[in-house]
Structure formats: C-alpha cells, structure tokens
Amino acid sequence: MDPYDLADPIPVLSRLPEDFYSNLSSSKWKDRKELALEPLLATLASSLRYQPDNYTDLVAALAGRMGDANVLCVVLAAQCIEKLARGLRGDFARYKSVVTAPILGKLKEKKQNVQDALGSALDAIAASVSTFPRHLPVSIWN
C-alpha cells in the first residue's frame, strides 16, 4: 500500500505567510531563506499529499530562485520543488516546463549539496510526468 494514498491532502497555498512572495524576492538572502523558503519547506514536509490548486505563481517563484546567488536558497528552493512534485504527482506535470530549464541551467554548480538537491528535484519532476509502471522491475523493459 502506498502511504501517499493514505495521507490527507493539505492546502499549501492557504498556509503560505501573507508576505511570502515579498520575502522570497527580498534583496536579503536571510529573508529569502528564513522567512520564505524554510517555512514553505516545513509546510510541505507536514504531509505527503497536497490539494490540487493553481500553483503557477509559487512554482514560477521557486524556479526564479534557481538563479539565486546564495546556494542555500537554491538548495531550499529545489527541495520545495521536489516536495511539490512528489506531493502533487501527476498534477505537477503542467509545471514541468516552468522549472526544468532553470534547474538544468544551475546544474553547472560544483557544490555537491546543490547538485544533489537539483538532481532530486529533477527526479521528482520526471516521476510526475512518467507513465512508466513503477511496480515492474526495470529488467522487464530491457
């Protein structure tokens, strides 16, 4: 049994702080990290499943953080994208074009923790659009 099926979906957008987007676009990296990205990641970590909604603005804002000068903000944004993709599953597929290019553009970063976070986000995005049956062993398809 999949734990995702047993989880109650949470409304992510209604749990965002009022000043989330202004903090996410703040010129101070600490505001971006501590007042926007960390609270969002904590909200996303509270459940495995999220209510379907229009996440276009949120996903676009997180994709915009891929170009952040502070690697901690990049890592947190990538982790948020990963959680969203895993929590929305197929409903996240419509946002793949918004986030894939910025993530791929940041893969040139040499720091391993950044590469790991970006790779995990790309894996989650691929899983949201994949029709590959996960319950079958890969050797069947070779």
Side-chain angles (χ1 to χ4, degrees):
M1 182 164 280
D2 188 358
Y4 178 87
D5 295 330
L6 300 174
D8 289 327
I10 62 167
V12 174
L13 296 179
S14 66
R15 293 186 180 191
L16 291 178
E18 222 175 86
D19 53 352
F20 173 79
Y21 291 103
S22 62
N23 286 329
L24 190 61
S25 61
S26 173
S27 61
K28 298 178 182 177
W29 71 269
K30 275 193 152 191
D31 289 350
R32 295 191 303 269
K33 179 182 175 280
E34 295 173 1
L35 300 177
L37 293 169
E38 286 177 349
L40 174 61
L41 190 58
T43 298
L44 295 173
S46 68
S47 181
L48 296 174
R49 191 172 179 183
Y50 315 124
Q51 285 182 349
D53 206 336
N54 184 357
Y55 291 93
T56 304
D57 292 339
L58 177 60
V59 171
L62 291 171
R65 295 285 38 113
M66 291 299 117
D68 202 301
N70 187 296
V71 294
L72 294 175
C73 292
V74 173
V75 168
L76 286 170
Q79 290 172 340
C80 290
I81 290 170
E82 176 190 2
K83 290 273 190 197
L84 274 172
R86 293 196 191 285
L88 291 172
R89 291 197 172 175
D91 290 329
F92 189 83
R94 71 183 79 156
Y95 308 114
K96 71 182 181 302
S97 61
V98 175
V99 294
T100 304
I103 291 174
L104 290 173
K106 194 64 175 180
L107 278 175
K108 62 186 173 205
E109 178 68 44
K110 295 190 186 316
K111 294 187 179 182
Q112 189 63 45
N113 64 331
V114 177
Q115 288 182 351
D116 291 344
L118 296 173
S120 294
L122 287 172
D123 288 344
I125 294 164
S128 75
V129 297
S130 177
T131 57
F132 185 78
R134 303 210 186 302
H135 62 282
L136 296 175
V138 176
S139 61
I140 287 178
W141 302 102
N142 292 340

